[in-house]
Each structure stands twice: as C-alpha cells, then as structure tokens.
C-alpha cells in the first residue's frame, strides 16, 4: 500500500527568502551558518568527487525519520535551491510495521513543506519476527528487506538512484567491523550499482561527521522518529565499534577525518593482496658491471 503526494504550491517557495522552506525556522546564528556551510561543503565534495550527479535524473531519497536522513534531505534541498543539484528529488518513507510507529509524523512534515513524497506500507517487521528467534538482533534482515522494497519503489517512480543518509562514522564503523570480524578491508562505498545493474546507491554524506549531523538536526528541530521501536538495538557489535572510535577521537581529536581520508588514499603495493598488486612480477634489476 502506498501513497504518492505531489508538491502543492506554498508561499514559502519565494526566491526572496534566500533558502528552501525547510530552513524557515532554522537558527540565524553564526555558529549554525558555519555548521550548515561545512555540511554543504562536505556533501558537494562527495557529489563531485564520486561523480554522483547526472543532470535531469530523478533520485529517491530514503527518509527514515532519523537525524541522518532528515539531514540528507535538507542538504540536498539546499543544494537544489542554490541551483547546484540539477536532479529531481522524491522523498520516500517505508513504514515497515514496527510497533508504535508514528505514521503521521513524516507525511505531515513533508506535506507542510510542499515536498513531493511517497509513503509506502510494507509489514516487513512481521516477516523478521517470524524468521528470527526472540531476542535476536533484527537489523540485518530488516535492512535487507527495506533495501529490496526501496529498489522496487525507485523503479516504479522512474528513479535512477536510491540515496541514503550514511555518513563518515557509518563508513568507518563498517570498515573496522570488517577488519575485526570479517577479515577484510572494506567500508561503505560512496557510490555503487545494485546487483541487477539498473540502480545506483549514493551516499552523499560520506564525508559528513555524525556529530555535525546531530547538531544540525537539533538546531533544525526535525521531528525525529527513533530507530529502536522494535527493541532490537541493544548489544549491537556496531555500538561497540562506535564507542571505540569515539574514545579514539577523544584521545586524538581529528582521527576520524584522517581515517576517512585514508580510505581514499590506498597504496596497493603496501598491502597484502596479490589480486591488487602484482607481487609475483616484482624483480630486481641487475646492475651493469
């Protein structure tokens, strides 16, 4: 079951306002402006560096109701308002049937801003609880089911990309979880093509710090929907990794920024993977006598 809402005209859609209506009640402080500019700068860097934008295409923005997806939507709307993002945006929330999910919050928020959006109901929560034992962590299966539905919706809406709100800290946490538990070096890519080859998955916030997104969300007073409605979040290995990285950042400020840059500065000849570097082909060059 789904509903697609067209964007009605709104008085706030006035170029003289100097900003998209989503910023109508944003703070006017110097501190907030610096924060907003930093997030915009980081987002633009990712969009440009990883060639995410092709003018005229349509993106499906996955909106969960958490701080990251709200931040993603606001920053993309900001860029589009400034004429720096020549794509069509469709916000989408997938109601997965979690107990006590506040169904009214996102439709009211998006309609109030005059944003085209789609609200879809698919009871994946019942599928997850049926397949997993009581007390198990639901996140992995829940995420796979959500992604499959979002791919379907993107196709139905004529979108070329599914855009997600994963940020710098998400990518670093994934890297260390793969390092510690998976025996491989891999993080969240900023851009990938799905297995079917017909959709891109984009992460424009890959250089944005979670702390900045939290401060941005607090300042913007987004109507946050918690991600613990199903009660399966406690004890996640990701939380352990997050705590480790936060302790590291406290002890050595700036390490997270250094680490995210390191993920884009790889020297294959100094790793241990013969698939990436021809170690067998290395040989000394005898000197002429």
């Amino acid at each position: 079951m789904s509903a697609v809402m067209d964007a009605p005209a709104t008085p706030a859609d006035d170029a003289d306002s100097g900003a998209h209506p989503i910023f109508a009640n944003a703070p006017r402080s110097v501190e907030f402006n610096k924060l907003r500019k930093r997030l915009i700068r980081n987002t633009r860097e990712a969009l440009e560096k990883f060639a995410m934008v092709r003018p005229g295409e349509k993106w499906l923005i996955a909106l969960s109701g958490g701080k990251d997806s709200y931040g993603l939507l606001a920053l993309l709307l900001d860029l589009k308002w400034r004429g720096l993002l020549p794509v069509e945006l469709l916000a989408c929330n997938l109601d997965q049937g979690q107990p006590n999910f506040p169904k009214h919050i996102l439709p009211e928020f998006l309609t109030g801003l005059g944003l085209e959006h789609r609200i879809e109901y698919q009871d994946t929560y019942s599928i997850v609880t049926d397949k997993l034992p009581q007390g198990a962590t639901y996140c992995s299966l829940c995420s796979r089911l959500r992604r499959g539905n979002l791919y379907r919706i993107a196709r139905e809406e004529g979108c070329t990309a599914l855009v997600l709100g994963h940020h710098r800290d998400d990518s670093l946490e994934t890297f260390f979880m793969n390092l510690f538990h998976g025996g491989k070096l891999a993080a969240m890519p900023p851009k990938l093509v799905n297995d079917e080859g017909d959709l891109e998955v984009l992460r424009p916030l890959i250089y944005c710090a979670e702390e900045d997104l939290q401060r941005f969300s607090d300042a913007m007073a987004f109507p946050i929907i918690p991600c613990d409605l199903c009660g399966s979040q406690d004890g996640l290995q990701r939380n352990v990794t997050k705590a480790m990285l936060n302790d590291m950042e406290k002890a050595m400020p700036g390490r997270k920024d250094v680490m995210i840059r390191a993920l884009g500065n790889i020297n294959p000849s100094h790793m241990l993977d013969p698939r990436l570097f021809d170690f067998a082909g290395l040989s000394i060059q005898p000197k002429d006598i």
Side-chain angles (χ1 to χ4, degrees):
M1 186 171 67
S2 65
V4 179
M5 310 293 181
D6 292 328
T10 122
D13 289 334
D14 184 347
D16 293 337
S17 67
H20 188 276
I22 199 170
F23 290 95
N25 298 315
R28 300 294 188 263
S29 66
V30 172
E31 181 181 5
F32 177 77
N33 286 336
K34 287 182 178 179
L35 172 64
R36 177 178 169 184
K37 287 178 181 178
R38 180 163 63 251
L39 287 169
I40 284 290
R41 182 174 63 250
N42 289 337
T43 303
R44 287 190 68 188
E45 180 182 0
L47 291 170
E48 294 169 6
K49 186 171 185 177
F50 302 109
M52 296 184 186
V53 180
R54 286 189 293 270
E57 294 193 343
K58 185 177 182 180
W59 289 0
L60 189 75
I61 312 301
L63 191 64
S64 67
K67 70 180 190 311
D68 304 328
S69 63
Y70 275 124
L72 171 69
L73 179 65
L75 293 167
L76 294 182
L77 288 172
D78 198 356
L79 287 169
K80 187 171 176 62
W81 184 268
R82 298 166 188 244
L84 300 173
L85 186 63
V87 299
E88 184 180 348
L89 303 178
L90 175 65
C92 177
N93 173 251
L94 180 65
D95 176 355
Q96 296 179 259
Q98 295 101 326
N100 303 314
F101 182 79
K103 298 177 180 293
H104 65 286
I105 289 180
L106 284 167
E108 289 178 0
F109 175 79
L110 294 166
T111 301
L113 290 170
L115 295 177
E116 184 182 0
H117 61 278
R118 173 166 171 173
I119 305 295
E120 173 106 4
Y121 176 78
Q122 292 291 330
D123 185 9
T124 62
Y125 177 77
S126 295
I127 298 174
V128 172
T129 54
D130 180 63
K131 291 186 176 295
L132 295 178
Q134 187 174 6
T137 297
Y138 299 156
C139 298
S140 179
L141 179 56
C142 178
S143 178
R144 290 199 299 273
L145 293 172
R146 179 172 62 249
R147 185 70 62 87
N149 275 288
L150 289 172
Y151 284 160
R152 171 183 57 79
I153 294 167
R155 295 185 186 102
E156 291 173 358
E157 296 292 343
C159 298
T160 55
L162 170 63
V163 189
L164 305 176
H166 295 127
H167 46 67
R168 178 199 70 181
D169 298 62
D170 289 323
S171 188
L172 290 176
E173 290 159 17
T174 299
F175 174 80
F176 279 100
M177 289 174 68
N178 281 322
L179 176 66
F180 294 150
H181 306 290
K184 61 181 179 181
L185 298 181
M188 282 182 173
K191 176 181 178 181
L192 62 86
V193 174
N194 66 339
D195 291 341
E196 292 80 0
D198 64 337
L199 290 169
E200 290 181 341
V201 177
L202 306 177
R203 295 184 171 101
L205 304 186
I206 204 71
Y207 287 135
C208 295
E210 182 175 20
E211 181 182 4
D212 281 348
L213 290 166
Q214 182 65 68
R215 292 172 56 215
F216 184 72
S217 174
D218 292 342
M220 294 285 288
F222 293 133
I224 298 296
I225 299 173
C227 189
D228 58 359
L229 296 170
C230 59
S232 68
Q233 301 298 306
D234 293 338
L236 292 179
Q237 194 60 51
R238 182 172 290 273
N239 290 344
V240 176
T241 307
K242 179 187 291 289
M244 179 199 74
L245 287 168
N246 287 339
D247 288 343
M248 191 181 303
E249 183 71 15
K250 289 177 183 177
M252 298 177 288
R255 292 314 94 185
K256 287 184 181 180
D257 277 336
V258 172
M259 286 188 282
I260 198 68
R261 300 297 171 181
L263 294 181
N265 188 24
I266 298 169
N267 189 342
S269 68
H270 286 58
M271 303 299 284
L272 310 181
D273 192 340
R275 296 170 300 179
L276 300 180
F277 186 79
D278 184 16
F279 292 100
L282 281 179
S283 60
I284 60 173
Q285 300 296 322
K287 295 180 180 180
D288 294 332
I289 301 176

